[in-house]
Amino acid sequence: MLMPKRTKYRKQQRGKNRGVASRGTKVSFGEYGLMALDNCALTSRQIEAARKAITHHVLKGGKIWIRVFPDHVVTQRPADSRMGKGKGAPVLWVAKVRAGKVLFELSGLAGAAAQKALLSAGHKLPCHVKFVAAE
């Protein structure tokens, strides 16, 4: 699963995830892409599940680019613990995604096959997505 090799601090504040993406909004590397339509937090497990779904359709025909990386830690307190006594332990890593960000890119496949591969990956993700082609 994806996670940073090392970080400066073990825990981070949650922050807000508002607005639309200003960078990473165009298909840069491949021919086709999968774009997020709303803001969400993608866990490393969801990114991996989507990658596997794309790979299942691509076989040896194409190349995949993952344009998001989970670099934000989410902490959680143990079950049945009382209030106070500090922040919980790190549990999982998420990638904070804004609307309009291209999540995955694909090349080396025909348009219909690429659309099928990317939309099957979109079913694994917690936000609405759309299929986009390079200009």
Side-chain angles (χ1 to χ4, degrees), residues 13 43-44 46 52-53 57 65 71 77 92 119:
Q13 291 189 341
T43 67
S44 54
Q46 290 164 344
K52 280 185 179 178
H57 288 280
W65 288 268
D71 58 351
R77 297 288 306 278
L92 54 102
L119 290 179

Side-chain angles (χ1 to χ4, degrees), residues 13-45:
Q13 291 189 341
R14 189 183 306 267
K16 302 273 193 258
N17 194 11
R18 295 189 224 165
V20 293
S22 56
R23 291 178 291 200
T25 57
K26 293 189 171 92
V27 178
S28 306
F29 304 103
E31 300 165 7
Y32 306 103
L34 191 69
M35 181 184 283
L37 294 179
D38 43 86
N39 297 343
C40 64
L42 296 180
T43 67
S44 54
R45 288 173 181 264

Side-chain angles (χ1 to χ4, degrees), residues 85-99:
K85 309 233 183 338
K87 192 169 180 169
V91 201
L92 54 102
W93 292 89
V94 297
K96 290 200 165 182
V97 173
R98 287 186 174 166

Side-chain angles (χ1 to χ4, degrees), residues 3-129:
M3 68 171 58
K5 284 194 180 96
R6 54 184 293 276
T7 57
K8 190 168 183 180
Y9 299 107
R10 236 176 106 235
K11 301 173 184 176
Q12 299 170 1
Q13 291 189 341
R14 189 183 306 267
K16 302 273 193 258
N17 194 11
R18 295 189 224 165
V20 293
S22 56
R23 291 178 291 200
T25 57
K26 293 189 171 92
V27 178
S28 306
F29 304 103
E31 300 165 7
Y32 306 103
L34 191 69
M35 181 184 283
L37 294 179
D38 43 86
N39 297 343
C40 64
L42 296 180
T43 67
S44 54
R45 288 173 181 264
Q46 290 164 344
I47 295 169
E48 178 65 13
R51 185 197 65 78
K52 280 185 179 178
I54 296 171
T55 309
H56 175 77
H57 288 280
V58 169
L59 300 172
K60 293 178 183 172
K63 180 155 175 49
I64 304 166
W65 288 268
I66 303 172
R67 299 278 307 269
V68 289
F69 185 79
D71 58 351
H72 199 274
V73 71
V74 173
T75 61
Q76 195 172 37
R77 297 288 306 278
D80 302 328
S81 64
R82 294 190 175 186
M83 298 292 285
K85 309 233 183 338
K87 192 169 180 169
V91 201
L92 54 102
W93 292 89
V94 297
K96 290 200 165 182
V97 173
R98 287 186 174 166
K101 172 98 171 152
V102 175
L103 307 174
F104 296 93
E105 291 188 24
L106 186 60
S107 71
L109 256 69
Q115 185 169 4
K116 187 175 179 184
L118 288 171
L119 290 179
S120 71
H123 291 302
K124 313 285 184 200
L125 303 176
C127 55
H128 294 99
V129 294

